[in-house]
Amino acid sequence: MNRRKLIVANWKMYLSLHEASLLTNRLDKHVELHHDVEVVLSPNYLCLQPLSQEIDHRKFKLAAQDGYFVDEGAYTGAISFNQMRDLVSYAIIGHSERRRYFNDSLEVVRDKVAAAVRNRITPILCVGETKEERAQKETKQVLHDQIVTALSNLTSDDAENLVLGYEPVWAIGADEPAKPDQIESAISWIRYQVRELYGEKTESSMRLLYGGSDEPEFVKSIMSIDGVDGLLVGRASLNYERFKDIINNAHLVALEEDKGKEA
Ligand code: PGA
């Protein structure tokens, strides 16, 4: 199964509209269009509308960083996926910072995933264990609970298009990413869970990302891991040179894979 590589920039609560627009312009100048790598930018809500008019849509797609699970109503301060449906192709859902600082429970994440799908926005569902959970050998259980709950309202057709990001909480904002063997075993466990839920066809269509301290020099070793299709990039995506190098390195991995298949 040839899944297109996917690189997602999570700009979190950084960048004013002016700065986001400047960074997007720089990326546009320096990033080449690679048909084998899809690039998604996820700025804060305020930037979505202006950036959707500025970007070259062949090169970049937009993602929301969250969204509310009700489509409309008296929910002061909230923004629904329904209101963003013409602006974004993707939405990051269940990021550990949302789970930790905004109390997004397993059920809230499930409802947000369903709301995004209902509004034809592809969820990028983030899952991952904390340092303590890993130390307690609870990683598999945590990933299982997060995945099974979040996907529980989806059909296999919905699930096929979903993107899943493995983001060990302890590797986010850290000095370096998780080790390849740690990523490999988590990714293969996640793929197993999806296969158990939906079967092989859905699992083999679904793209899986790794997130946590991604930098250009780690792209090859991480993206060569079996079952990993791309990266969810935080800090390095705020710098156009580092993010450009990440995209180019992902393209090189895709080229090598293609060569391997021809040989
Ligand atoms: P980081 O963030 O690359 O800065 O570690 C990753 C993320 O939170 O998605």
Side-chain angles (χ1 to χ4, degrees):
M1 164 66 63
N2 220 351
R3 297 180 297 257
R4 195 173 175 210
K5 307 290 178 217
L6 176 59
I7 305 291
V8 182
N10 178 5
W11 291 347
K12 307 192 179 186
M13 201 178 68
Y14 293 105
L15 308 179
S16 64
L17 172 56
H18 178 70
E19 290 163 340
S21 176
L22 214 65
L23 177 56
T24 308
N25 265 309
R26 290 210 168 114
L27 288 172
D28 192 41
K29 266 199 206 102
H30 295 275
V31 170
E32 273 177 60
L33 173 68
H34 299 298
H35 289 285
D36 46 17
V37 183
E38 186 177 357
V39 181
V40 175
L41 307 177
S42 189
N44 68 64
Y45 290 127
L46 288 174
C47 299
L48 289 174
Q49 169 85 42
L51 288 194
S52 79
Q53 284 165 358
E54 279 175 33
I55 54 169
D56 175 347
H57 289 263
R58 289 168 311 154
K59 255 191 204 174
F60 305 109
K61 302 237 170 65
L62 290 177
Q65 293 177 17
D66 187 44
Y68 198 51
F69 52 79
V70 177
D71 285 346
E72 66 170 356
Y75 298 97
T76 302
I79 299 182
S80 71
F81 294 105
N82 184 40
Q83 291 170 313
M84 295 187 283
R85 61 190 296 168
D86 297 330
L87 295 177
V88 301
S89 314
Y90 293 92
I92 299 173
I93 297 176
H95 190 281
S96 60
E97 288 151 13
R98 297 284 330 165
R99 295 183 196 257
R100 176 166 174 206
Y101 301 121
F102 301 93
N103 299 321
D104 280 11
S105 63
L106 294 177
E107 292 72 25
V108 164
V109 171
R110 173 198 64 201
D111 292 347
K112 288 182 173 182
V113 166
V117 169
R118 177 166 80 235
N119 286 291
R120 303 194 189 294
I121 295 172
T122 302
I124 300 172
L125 168 67
C126 298
V127 296
E129 80 288 1
T130 62
K131 193 170 158 212
E132 295 72 32
E133 288 161 345
R134 175 163 281 265
Q136 298 295 320
K137 305 211 178 310
E138 289 169 1
T139 302
K140 282 186 165 180
Q141 187 62 44
V142 169
L143 295 176
H144 168 272
D145 293 350
Q146 290 177 344
I147 293 166
V148 170
T149 313
L151 303 189
S152 56
N153 288 335
L154 302 193
T155 64
S156 57
D157 281 349
D158 297 334
E160 244 178 58
N161 294 316
L162 183 120
V163 176
L164 242 157
Y166 172 57
E167 296 214 308
V169 181
W170 47 273
I172 295 175
D175 292 336
E176 50 180 36
K179 300 273 174 273
D181 62 316
Q182 295 172 315
I183 300 174
E184 183 163 14
S185 69
I187 290 283
S188 95
W189 175 247
I190 292 170
R191 286 206 173 275
Y192 171 73
Q193 296 303 319
V194 176
R195 252 194 325 274
E196 287 286 291
L197 288 171
Y198 294 106
E200 207 153 327
K201 181 170 167 285
T202 300
E203 181 271 301
S204 65
S205 308
M206 190 186 278
R207 287 185 294 178
L208 257 66
L209 313 180
Y210 165 79
S213 303
D214 291 315
E215 291 290 342
E217 65 267 32
F218 301 122
V219 171
K220 187 166 189 259
S221 62
I222 297 175
M223 286 188 57
S224 306
I225 296 169
D226 197 29
V228 175
D229 305 300
L231 305 169
L232 197 44
V233 187
R235 283 158 298 164
S237 70
L238 293 165
N239 174 293
Y240 79 92
E241 292 197 14
R242 279 150 76 199
F243 193 56
K244 171 201 72 175
D245 288 346
I246 286 178
I247 294 164
N248 288 341
N249 290 349
H251 169 60
L252 293 179
V253 171
L255 279 182
E256 268 180 33
E257 261 178 33
D258 271 356
K259 261 196 222 143
K261 271 183 206 131
E262 276 165 24

